[in-house]
Amino acid sequence: MSNVFDNVDIQFASSISCKTMPRWQRKAMQAQNSSTSRMTPRKDRVRGDRFIPDRSAMNMEASHYKMLSGADDENTQQDAAGMPGSSKILAFKQKAPKPKEGFQSDLRVMYTQSRAAAKPKKTARFIPQAPERILDAPDLLANFYVNPLDWSNENMLCVALNDTAYLWNASNGSITELCHLENAGDYIASVSWAQDGAHLAVGTNSGVVQIWDVTKQKQVRDMSGHGARVGALDWNNHILSSGSQRGIILNSDVRVRDHVMQALENHAGEVCGLKWSPNGRMLASGGNDNLVNIWSDAGEVRHTLTHHQAGVKALAWCPWTHNLLATGGGTADGTIRFWNSTTGNCTGTIDTKSQITSLLWSKEYQEIIAGHGHNHNGLSIWKYPSLDQVAELKGHTDRVVAMAMSPDGEMVVSASGDESLRFWKCFQSDPKRKARKMSANPNSRLSSTIR
């Protein structure tokens, strides 16, 4: 019994002395007392001061392979031991992992305030939304099938007002009446300047094509052969192409007194658009049959394009890529399409959701401008080849019937059924760049004469 009480006294004394010891010493003594108090400790519950794993139960080679040569994050593969692998434990990434959706760092302000101010992007050029000038055009026909406007290389604008053609000198603003049709009910359906800037072709509703020497204000000749409205005209040096309501195109050599005619027939409807390519090797024609034909200079059909869903009047060849053609459809179509005339493939489309009556390429920028009829009655400018819209020019209250561009390429004039001409300075160029361009490409002159 005495041994028992002695043991109790020793434990009591040690508990009292432990209160004055540091905490780590007390914990060590308590652990020692606990281990010594057991009469028969179990061998399977031997405790150590730390966990030491049993290495004999592990496949160290497989673990090493999975750590250094595991599969990518999104794909799994078999490891060396035949176990399915997961993503690498240690892997270097080019970018940090993305945060969860909606996560915002509290330090974002601190990190962003120290950044240098970003350089402002270069803004697009300024395009005036108001016309530079407005001229009255009484009796101008609001007809989709007429082309009553053209601007010469000598800076002379011709506009047809019903049965009379007028000349407006853009250099001094003077206006001259050139010709007047004598037959009752007849009207001028189209006008087109020759490259020399001195001769003008006039197509009439009766099917006669007149050629005028503007410098002398004298008619040179009449050319018949159509017998129906001639709504489309275009020149290729000494060749004058004319398209009529009967779907026929005539190519006339005006150097010959008894002009030679070549008939091109591949339209089932009225020919309402004609344009020669800049190199003079291809002629594009658009018709009311929704077709676009591309002809060789020998009069052979290279391609017949059938993508448009309405009449095609608007045609324009790109000035810097001779095999690039732009076409525009009528109300039921409303799209601008770009074609490779070599292959006949469509390379791009713009849905303008409005009737397209005319197209012009900029000489200064890689852009195209379109004149619109119903649902828009204005002009729109588009970049190429991105096909992004640059600007809209509004002001007309009726259909834009036709457009023409000044010889320097800066000004575009639009003729509308609201009986007005509006001049838009939408392609203003840098003076230095303009001087370099004019010195490199002087205007050519037509060497042949019309007799």
Side-chain angles (χ1 to χ4, degrees):
M1 297 295 291
S2 60
N3 294 334
V4 175
F5 286 107
D6 291 342
N7 189 26
V8 173
D9 292 339
I10 293 172
Q11 292 180 1
F12 178 75
S14 63
S15 64
I16 294 175
S17 62
C18 286
K19 294 181 180 180
T20 61
M21 294 181 182
R23 185 176 181 182
W24 65 271
Q25 289 184 342
R26 291 200 304 270
K27 287 187 176 183
M29 182 176 290
Q30 290 174 1
Q32 182 178 3
N33 293 337
S34 175
S35 62
T36 57
S37 64
R38 294 190 180 94
M39 298 297 293
T40 55
R42 294 174 55 183
K43 294 182 179 181
D44 59 344
R45 296 185 61 182
V46 176
R47 299 177 181 270
D49 58 348
R50 66 186 186 278
F51 173 73
I52 300 176
D54 187 357
R55 302 291 183 180
S56 62
M58 295 185 177
N59 189 336
M60 300 303 295
E61 294 182 358
S63 300
H64 183 268
Y65 175 80
K66 291 169 64 176
M67 181 175 68
L68 299 179
S69 305
D72 294 337
D73 290 343
E74 297 181 358
N75 302 311
T76 59
Q77 63 185 20
Q78 298 294 322
D79 60 16
M83 301 296 291
S86 59
S87 61
K88 293 181 181 179
I89 297 175
L90 299 178
F92 294 98
K93 307 290 184 181
Q94 292 183 353
K95 296 182 180 180
K98 294 183 179 180
K100 295 182 179 180
E101 185 177 357
F103 174 79
Q104 290 186 354
S105 173
D106 295 335
L107 301 179
R108 179 175 179 273
V109 176
M110 181 180 70
Y111 288 137
T112 55
Q113 288 297 324
S114 61
R115 292 180 181 176
K119 294 182 180 180
K121 294 183 179 179
K122 185 179 180 180
T123 57
R125 73 183 189 284
F126 173 70
I127 301 178
Q129 295 296 300
E132 189 87 359
R133 180 192 297 265
I134 301 177
L135 297 179
D136 291 333
D139 298 328
L140 191 145
L141 299 175
N143 191 328
F144 177 79
Y145 299 100
V146 300
N147 290 279
L149 193 68
D150 200 16
W151 206 327
S152 77
N153 291 333
E154 297 297 329
N155 209 17
M156 191 77 70
L157 180 69
C158 178
V159 56
L161 304 180
N162 200 343
D163 56 1
T164 307
Y166 293 90
L167 302 178
W168 179 73
N169 190 324
S171 301
N172 55 31
S174 62
I175 300 175
T176 305
E177 179 181 324
L178 178 65
C179 65
H180 176 79
L181 302 182
E182 301 295 336
N183 296 333
D186 201 2
Y187 61 85
I188 298 174
S190 57
V191 294
S192 179
W193 287 99
Q195 281 90 340
D196 64 354
H199 293 88
L200 178 74
V202 177
T204 66
N205 183 52
S206 61
V208 177
V209 177
Q210 300 179 359
I211 298 180
W212 286 76
D213 185 340
V214 177
T215 58
K216 300 178 181 179
Q217 295 191 11
K218 179 181 178 181
Q219 182 178 349
V220 177
R221 69 168 63 172
D222 281 341
M223 296 192 302
S224 60
H226 284 293
R229 176 173 59 197
V230 180
L233 294 167
D234 200 38
W235 291 84
N236 183 20
N237 290 326
H238 55 270
I239 301 296
L240 174 63
S241 298
S242 55
S244 73
Q245 195 172 13
R246 293 182 178 178
I248 300 175
I249 302 170
L250 296 180
N251 289 337
S252 304
D253 188 341
V254 298
R255 297 173 300 179
V256 182
R257 184 176 299 276
D258 296 327
H259 59 279
V260 178
M261 291 188 298
Q262 180 187 42
L264 309 180
E265 299 183 37
N266 201 39
H267 282 285
E270 178 173 3
V271 177
C272 43
L274 284 175
K275 285 296 176 182
W276 280 97
S277 63
N279 58 13
R281 296 178 181 176
M282 290 175 286
L283 172 66
S285 63
N288 194 35
D289 53 2
N290 308 347
L291 298 181
V292 176
N293 286 309
I294 299 178
W295 310 80
S296 68
D297 53 359
E300 299 174 350
V301 178
R302 287 190 175 183
H303 303 287
T304 298
L305 313 176
T306 61
H307 292 58
H308 285 290
Q309 304 300 315
V312 182
K313 174 188 175 184
L315 304 168
W317 290 93
C318 181
W320 64 84
T321 305
H322 290 177
N323 66 340
L324 177 59
L325 173 67
T327 61
T331 305
D333 183 78
T335 60
I336 303 173
R337 291 185 177 272
F338 301 91
W339 308 89
N340 183 327
S341 62
T342 303
T343 63
N345 294 330
C346 181
T347 60
T349 304
I350 301 174
D351 184 4
T352 68
K353 296 179 173 57
S354 179
Q355 181 188 56
I356 302 169
T357 60
S358 48
L359 290 170
L360 293 172
W361 286 96
S362 171
K363 300 177 182 179
E364 185 70 19
Y365 306 94
Q366 290 191 348
E367 296 173 358
I368 191 169
I369 183 170
H372 297 281
H374 300 304
N375 301 334
H376 191 290
N377 296 335
L379 287 72
S380 60
I381 303 175
W382 308 81
K383 282 185 177 294
Y384 186 86
S386 67
L387 308 185
D388 296 327
Q389 187 168 4
V390 177
E392 286 189 1
L393 306 176
K394 298 181 179 180
H396 286 295
T397 58
D398 203 333
R399 182 200 336 245
V400 174
V401 177
M403 294 190 307
M405 183 176 288
S406 61
D408 61 7
E410 294 189 1
M411 192 86 69
V412 171
V413 57
S414 55
S416 171
D418 61 10
E419 299 186 342
S420 72
L421 302 179
R422 294 175 184 261
F423 295 79
W424 312 87
K425 200 164 189 177
C426 48
F427 297 121
Q428 187 172 6
S429 61
D430 178 39
K432 295 181 180 179
R433 182 179 178 184
K434 178 181 175 182
R436 290 195 301 267
K437 185 176 179 181
M438 292 186 67
S439 62
N441 299 307
N443 291 331
S444 60
R445 291 291 183 266
L446 186 65
S447 58
S448 304
T449 59
I450 299 176
R451 294 179 293 175

